[in-house]
Amino acid sequence: MARRQVIVELGGEQAVLNAQLEQAHSSLRETKNRLKKACKERGEIPEPGSTDALQRAIVAARKEGELAASILSIQSQLANLQTACQADLSRVTLWEGKLEEVIGLALPSRESIHRFEEAYDHLGTQFQRLEEKKQEIIDAIQDTLQHLDEIDRIGTVPTELDLMNARGQRDEIWRLLRRHWVDGEDVTVEASDYQDEGTLPDVFEKRLTGSDELADRLRREADRVHALASLQAAQQSGQSQVVRITEALEIANAEKEQLDTEWQALWAPCQIVPRTPREMRAWLDGFEKLREQVEQLNLQRQKSSELEQNRTRHIQRLEEQLHKLGRESTTSVELETLLMECEAVAARLDSDKHKRDSLEKEVKDREADVESLNETLQSASESLESWRTQWNEMMKNLGLPSDSSPSAVDDFIENVRTLFSKQSDAEKLAIRINAIDEDATAFRGLVEAMAAKIAPALGELPADDAVMRLNTLLSENRSKQTKRQQLEEQIEQVKEEIQDSTSSIQTMKDRLGALCKEANCSDYSQLEAGERLSAEYLGFKKAIASIEQEILEAGEGSSIPELETEVEGIDSDNLPSEINALRDKIEDELEPRQTELAETKGREEKELELMDGNDQAAVLADQANALLASIRADAERYVHVKLAGKILHDQIERYRRENQGPLITRASQHFSALTLGSFDRLMTDFNEKDEPVLAGIRTGGERVHVEGMSSGTRDQLYLSLRLASLEKYMENAEPMPFIVDDVLVDFDDARSEAALNALAELAQKTQVILFTHHSQVVTQAKPLQVHVHELGASA
């Protein structure tokens, strides 16, 4: 194990030496092959001649070749224009004519298209308004039906018709009874219809009771009857309105069919089945662009024909110069092709000369490399042989075969190290197992001794089962002992209660005997009457004492005899006036003074209670000081937070005053344009929680909050606010790009066009990037001079 590192390092050298030897063999073979290939290529190249005369001829031809370049440019432009025209023609829908017929095709004027577009827009607005009104009425009818269903679920509502029917049936039975009782007629046949319900009097009584109950219900349930009638009237009114709106929609459909006929007739001379006026206006723009390209194509064709006549004359001159150099020209009529051939001949001759010189140099370099690589190969072989000698000596010392690989030797050493480690672990585990066996033997001895002492019947069970059984017995005995203690405590408690009750009974008997003796009664039954007399006597005595106490309190310390002597000379007629005077004095002077003295007394008594010698006052004083310090800190914190909140609120209000007004004004302009005048402006409003919200104001003054807008209108509101915010930001900062992704997905064609115009206006100030997957948006945006980039599917 001590020589493991040396063996590992020596084994690692083998791979390096083998790699060096293999690299030397490979490099020597490759260099020899390159030398052989260079010698062969050098022999294949003949001795090149001079190209000066040919170069002078090419330069002269190039001076004349500017005309050929112009011809090629014109032809390229002509081909591109031809391809573009054909591509644009293939993209033109609705018309299948040829390219030559484009210029002469008579199309409707833009004014006619605009007239039809306004008519269609008017009809579309009318359809939308009628559909919205119809949907509102249908929703109201659904609400009415829901309320009717709620009323039916509560119970059937009586109606006047039901009462009339009930009274009619009652009167019909009464007429039968009158004919039978008064007129003496035989009504057996008519009464047979009611025999299932009983006799005619019984049926009449039922009909009378039913009609009376129905009348009572009409009176009791007047609110439900009124609500039912109102809902039924509302339902009938809504259905009538739906019929009227449906008729109006049919009239509008007829007008649209007539307009469609006129629109089709406008395009009939061109053999075109038109689409909507807005689409045909865009189609007309594209067709006019194609017509301009066709006119440019005709001009380019005329110019190309004039240049072709000059090209033939220059080609003849170049062929004469090529024949003088002993080279045959091609049959091509292209001037540029002939020039390229001449240049290729000159270049090929120059290249042969340069290549032969390069091969000469390469042969000399490869011969020197072969000699150097032979020396390297010999050195690598000697190093590998030296390593093998050292490795064989090392394997001999380890007792391994001399041809053992380094990886096999490393595995052998690792196995030896693992063996020693496992042997050490086995010795530790053996020691631990012996200790566990000893503990188990001691435990079994303790269990057997315990079982023999407590439950000899458990001596035959295994130690584990015996322990579990002993634990069960212990739990049961503890439970029984606890229950026994509880029963003994209950017995003692009952004995004490019996003893207390016996003592109480004897005490009561003694008290009753004393009471009888004191009341001069011979029996317990006479005590109740004596108690009543005693209560009356005590009441009288208490009343007398109370009166005397009042007299003494009023007498200011004088006794009753003294007071009797004092009142002998007082005139009773003057007492009321004196009493009133004294009462006024009490209320004005004595009672306020009494209140003041009582408060002073309370304060003094409180201070006296605090002066009891303990430290509670000091503790309370410390607590008061601590609370005062906490209050002071909290007050300072409150002042800081309140002041910060006031400053923040003022700054927010200042920012709102400075920015909200211009921002809302500009956003209102954008919003009105994007909604095509459906909304006049924006304004800030407050909801039921007194929170600021944004609302749109229609032309008629109707206020619509954001949650009441459609999804498309909300998108237009959001776009208006973003545009206004960006414009406000760019007034005092550098412009930033405005990137939107499919923001027009919920816009109709008219609002999409308005939004594109707004973005085009913003593009005058900053870059605007609009992502969309709708071809209609691209078609609408092209007249605004935009750059359209189409992304592939992989993008």
Side-chain angles (χ1 to χ4, degrees):
M1 297 300 294
R3 288 178 291 175
R4 179 184 179 187
Q5 185 63 30
V6 177
I7 295 172
V8 172
E9 293 177 355
L10 189 60
E13 292 178 2
Q14 182 193 24
V16 177
L17 293 175
N18 286 332
Q20 291 177 354
L21 183 61
E22 182 63 27
Q23 180 67 28
H25 280 293
S26 176
S27 299
L28 182 59
R29 286 194 301 270
E30 184 179 357
T31 303
K32 288 181 177 180
N33 291 334
R34 289 183 180 178
L35 176 60
K36 183 178 179 181
K37 183 179 179 182
C39 292
K40 181 180 179 181
E41 291 177 356
R42 183 183 61 181
E44 293 175 353
I45 298 175
E47 199 67 38
S50 175
T51 60
D52 295 340
L54 182 59
Q55 291 289 353
R56 287 194 295 271
I58 292 173
V59 171
R62 273 297 178 193
K63 291 181 180 179
E64 298 294 335
E66 295 178 357
L67 179 60
S70 299
I71 295 174
L72 291 176
S73 176
I74 292 297
Q75 289 178 346
S76 177
Q77 296 176 8
L78 182 62
N80 292 336
L81 192 57
Q82 177 74 22
T83 303
C85 290
Q86 289 292 344
D88 291 342
L89 180 62
S90 64
R91 287 193 292 269
V92 171
T93 57
L94 308 178
W95 185 70
E96 298 180 353
K98 298 181 181 179
L99 199 62
E100 293 76 8
E101 301 174 357
V102 171
I103 296 179
L105 184 65
L107 297 172
S109 63
R110 295 182 181 274
E111 289 75 10
S112 300
I113 296 175
H114 181 68
R115 177 171 54 83
F116 277 95
E117 183 178 0
E118 290 181 346
Y120 274 110
D121 289 343
H122 176 71
L123 281 177
T125 303
Q126 186 176 357
F127 271 116
Q128 182 180 0
R129 186 173 63 255
L130 291 174
E131 290 291 346
E132 291 177 353
K133 184 64 176 177
K134 182 178 180 181
Q135 187 60 43
E136 290 177 0
I137 296 173
I138 291 175
D139 293 340
I141 293 175
Q142 292 295 330
D143 293 340
T144 303
L145 292 176
Q146 183 178 358
H147 286 88
L148 288 173
D149 183 65
E150 292 176 357
I151 292 176
D152 290 339
R153 289 178 183 274
I154 295 173
T156 305
V157 180
T159 63
E160 293 290 341
L161 181 60
D162 295 338
L163 181 60
M164 291 176 61
N165 292 333
R167 288 175 174 174
Q169 294 176 2
R170 179 200 62 187
D171 295 342
E172 183 178 355
I173 302 299
W174 170 248
R175 284 191 293 271
L176 290 177
L177 289 173
R178 182 179 181 86
R179 287 168 55 192
H180 177 65
W181 289 344
V182 178
D183 299 335
E185 296 182 9
D186 185 9
V187 294
T188 304
V189 177
E190 292 87 341
S192 62
D193 295 337
Y194 305 98
Q195 62 183 359
D196 294 338
E197 301 181 31
T199 62
L200 282 179
D202 294 337
V203 175
F204 176 73
E205 185 177 356
K206 292 179 182 179
R207 293 291 191 272
L208 179 62
T209 303
S211 60
D212 292 342
E213 289 179 354
L214 193 58
D216 293 339
R217 287 186 61 193
L218 280 174
R219 185 179 65 259
R220 290 195 307 267
E221 302 180 18
D223 294 340
R224 294 184 64 206
V225 172
H226 176 70
L228 179 63
S230 299
L231 290 174
Q232 290 176 345
Q235 181 184 4
Q236 294 177 359
S237 175
Q239 292 174 349
S240 301
Q241 293 181 7
V242 170
V243 172
R244 290 197 298 273
I245 293 175
T246 304
E247 294 175 353
L249 286 173
E250 292 176 354
I251 295 173
N253 281 323
E255 294 179 359
K256 185 177 183 302
E257 291 177 357
Q258 178 64 29
L259 187 62
D260 290 340
T261 303
E262 297 177 359
W263 177 246
Q264 298 286 344
L266 180 66
W267 292 88
C270 305
Q271 297 181 353
I272 292 175
V273 178
R275 296 178 181 174
T276 63
R278 187 175 290 104
E279 292 176 323
M280 295 310 297
R281 184 175 59 185
W283 182 90
L284 185 61
D285 294 338
F287 196 86
E288 291 294 338
K289 186 183 297 184
L290 176 61
R291 180 175 288 177
E292 294 176 359
Q293 290 181 345
V294 172
E295 292 177 353
Q296 294 179 2
L297 178 63
N298 293 334
L299 293 176
Q300 291 292 344
R301 285 175 178 172
Q302 182 179 358
K303 186 175 181 181
S304 176
S305 177
E306 295 175 353
L307 293 176
E308 284 287 346
Q309 298 176 0
N310 294 330
R311 184 179 64 178
T312 304
R313 182 174 65 257
H314 291 291
I315 289 175
Q316 293 175 354
R317 293 177 183 176
L318 285 174
E319 288 179 345
E320 291 176 359
Q321 296 295 329
L322 192 59
H323 287 311
K324 290 180 181 180
L325 296 174
R327 299 283 180 175
E328 293 294 334
S329 62
T330 63
T331 58
S332 176
V333 296
E334 296 292 336
L335 178 61
E336 184 63 25
T337 302
L338 186 57
L339 282 172
M340 291 175 63
E341 183 181 355
C342 295
E343 291 175 346
V345 170
R348 188 163 54 249
L349 293 175
D350 292 339
S351 176
D352 289 344
K353 183 177 183 303
H354 178 70
K355 188 173 183 181
R356 185 176 179 83
D357 294 340
S358 298
L359 289 173
E360 286 286 352
K361 184 176 182 302
E362 184 178 359
V363 168
K364 293 179 181 179
D365 293 341
R366 293 292 177 262
E367 290 174 350
D369 292 341
V370 168
E371 183 178 357
S372 176
L373 288 173
N374 284 326
E375 295 176 357
T376 302
L377 178 60
Q378 183 178 0
S379 176
S381 300
E382 293 174 355
S383 298
L384 183 58
E385 187 64 28
S386 175
W387 179 87
R388 287 173 179 169
T389 302
Q390 297 179 13
W391 182 256
N392 292 337
E393 183 67 23
M394 186 66 69
M395 293 300 101
K396 183 178 179 181
N397 293 335
L398 291 176
L400 296 176
S402 60
D403 57 350
S404 299
S405 64
S407 60
V409 174
D410 188 63
D411 292 340
F412 169 76
I413 295 174
E414 182 63 24
N415 290 335
V416 173
R417 187 191 64 78
T418 304
L419 178 61
F420 290 157
S421 176
K422 290 183 177 179
Q423 182 179 4
S424 177
D425 294 341
E427 293 174 354
K428 294 178 181 178
L429 290 174
I431 295 172
R432 186 178 178 187
I433 290 172
N434 292 331
I436 292 173
D437 291 339
E438 293 176 358
D439 292 341
T441 301
F443 176 73
R444 282 194 295 272
L446 291 174
V447 172
E448 292 174 356
M450 184 65 68
K453 180 179 180 181
I454 297 175
L458 302 178
E460 298 178 358
L461 296 177
D464 296 341
D465 296 340
V467 169
M468 293 178 62
R469 182 58 180 165
L470 288 173
N471 186 41
T472 302
L473 292 174
L474 177 61
S475 299
E476 293 176 355
N477 290 329
R478 285 178 176 174
S479 177
K480 292 179 180 180
Q481 184 179 2
T482 302
K483 189 174 182 180
R484 179 184 178 86
Q485 291 177 356
Q486 291 176 353
L487 292 174
E488 290 177 353
E489 290 176 357
Q490 291 178 3
I491 291 171
E492 291 296 331
Q493 184 176 0
V494 171
K495 289 180 178 180
E496 290 178 359
E497 291 178 355
I498 293 173
Q499 185 177 359
D500 293 340
S501 299
T502 304
S503 176
S504 297
I505 291 172
Q506 185 62 38
T507 302
M508 291 301 174
K509 288 181 178 180
D510 294 341
R511 290 182 63 184
L512 285 174
L515 290 174
C516 289
K517 183 177 181 180
E518 183 178 356
N520 294 324
C521 296
S522 60
D523 192 4
Y524 297 156
S525 59
Q526 299 177 0
L527 287 176
E528 184 175 358
E531 183 180 2
R532 287 197 300 270
L533 294 175
S534 176
E536 292 177 358
Y537 170 75
L538 292 176
F540 292 149
K541 187 177 180 179
K542 184 177 180 180
I544 294 171
S546 176
I547 294 172
E548 289 180 351
Q549 182 64 30
E550 291 179 0
I551 293 172
L552 291 174
E553 291 177 354
E556 297 181 353
S558 300
S559 63
I560 291 178
E562 293 175 352
L563 292 174
E564 290 176 350
T565 303
E566 185 177 353
V567 299
E568 288 178 356
I570 297 176
D571 186 4
S572 59
D573 295 334
N574 297 328
L575 289 178
S577 60
E578 293 180 2
I579 291 172
N580 291 331
L582 293 174
R583 184 181 292 112
D584 293 339
K585 183 178 181 181
I586 291 171
E587 292 178 356
D588 297 339
E589 298 180 6
L590 298 181
E591 286 186 354
R593 178 59 178 167
Q594 182 183 6
T595 303
E596 181 180 356
L597 293 175
E599 292 178 354
T600 304
K601 178 183 178 182
R603 287 195 299 269
E604 297 296 336
E605 289 178 349
K606 185 65 177 177
E607 293 181 0
L608 182 62
E609 290 177 359
L610 294 177
M611 298 178 183
D612 58 354
N614 58 23
D615 59 346
Q616 185 178 1
V619 173
L620 293 176
D622 292 340
Q623 293 179 357
N625 292 330
L627 289 174
L628 183 61
S630 176
I631 292 171
R632 185 180 295 107
D634 292 341
E636 293 177 356
R637 172 66 177 168
Y638 173 79
V639 170
H640 293 165
V641 172
K642 195 69 176 179
L643 183 59
K646 182 64 169 62
I647 295 173
L648 180 60
H649 181 269
D650 293 344
Q651 292 299 318
I652 292 174
E653 290 297 326
R654 182 186 62 79
Y655 179 82
R656 182 177 298 170
R657 288 194 303 270
E658 294 178 357
N659 297 276
Q660 179 173 317
L663 183 65
I664 295 299
T665 301
R666 184 54 179 162
S668 298
Q669 298 173 359
H670 284 304
F671 189 53
S672 177
L674 293 179
T675 57
L676 302 180
S678 177
F679 287 88
D680 184 46
R681 57 190 174 88
L682 296 172
M683 69 169 293
T684 54
D685 198 0
F686 294 90
N687 59 11
E688 60 276 3
K689 297 181 180 179
D690 201 24
E691 297 173 344
V693 295
L694 198 61
I697 307 301
R698 293 191 182 274
T699 306
E702 181 184 358
R703 182 176 303 175
V704 181
H705 290 162
V706 176
E707 57 271 14
M709 299 178 182
S710 63
S711 59
T713 305
R714 286 197 296 268
D715 291 343
Q716 291 148 19
L717 174 60
Y718 175 73
L719 180 59
S720 302
L721 293 172
R722 289 297 304 272
L723 292 174
S725 300
L726 188 58
E727 291 174 353
K728 179 66 176 177
Y729 171 80
M730 289 190 298
E731 291 178 358
N732 302 312
E734 292 292 331
M736 65 172 61
F738 184 58
I739 303 175
V740 288
D741 183 9
D742 254 343
V743 72
L744 310 179
V745 66
D746 292 330
F747 290 22
D748 56 22
D749 292 342
R751 297 192 178 190
S752 295
E753 187 173 357
L756 290 172
N757 290 328
L759 294 176
E761 181 181 354
L762 180 64
Q764 303 298 325
K765 303 176 183 178
T766 185
Q767 183 182 18
V768 178
I769 300 175
L770 170 63
F771 291 97
T772 183
H773 64 280
H774 293 283
S775 58
Q776 179 63 24
V777 176
V778 177
T779 304
Q780 291 179 327
K782 283 185 177 180
L784 301 176
Q785 299 181 354
V786 300
H787 298 284
V788 179
H789 300 278
E790 296 184 357
L791 304 178
S794 60

